[in-house]
Amino acid sequence: MKTKYLNAETVVPKRLLDELQQYVQGDWIYIPAVKGSRKAWGERSGSRQALRRRNGDIRQRFAEGSSLEQLSSEYGLAYDTVKKIVYTKA
């Protein structure tokens, strides 16, 4: 992820900038995101949900009798990956 620096004059109200300048002038300052505001990997793009759906399909097909080898081949996943999906609680 590329770090993006912003000029405080363009994003912070003047009165807040004046207050900040009493503590920091001409240096870099990091302002963390609000706790809970960051989305987990794949939530924004839908990848997380797609993987859950795929893994659910793999578990169901295994329960219906498909072998680990078949599922590995059909889904293009390593045998050990399919095994992990099937034997790990959802």
Side-chain angles (χ1 to χ4, degrees), residues 1-62:
M1 184 170 120
K2 184 177 180 183
T3 303
K4 181 177 176 183
Y5 294 101
L6 301 171
N7 184 332
E9 289 179 322
T10 64
V11 294
V12 176
K14 175 80 169 104
R15 67 183 187 286
L16 180 55
L17 181 59
D18 292 342
E19 181 74 19
L20 287 170
Q21 286 174 326
Q22 291 181 32
Y23 301 95
V24 179
Q25 290 186 26
D27 287 320
W28 298 102
I29 186 168
Y30 170 76
I31 301 173
V34 176
K35 290 193 185 290
S37 67
R38 290 192 64 155
K39 293 187 181 262
W41 174 89
E43 287 183 350
R44 198 173 304 172
S45 67
S47 296
R48 180 176 291 263
Q49 185 62 28
L51 286 177
R52 281 190 189 126
R53 197 173 17 243
R54 180 205 68 189
N55 293 351
D57 291 345
I58 289 171
R59 286 186 191 95
Q60 181 177 353
R61 296 216 22 230
F62 181 75

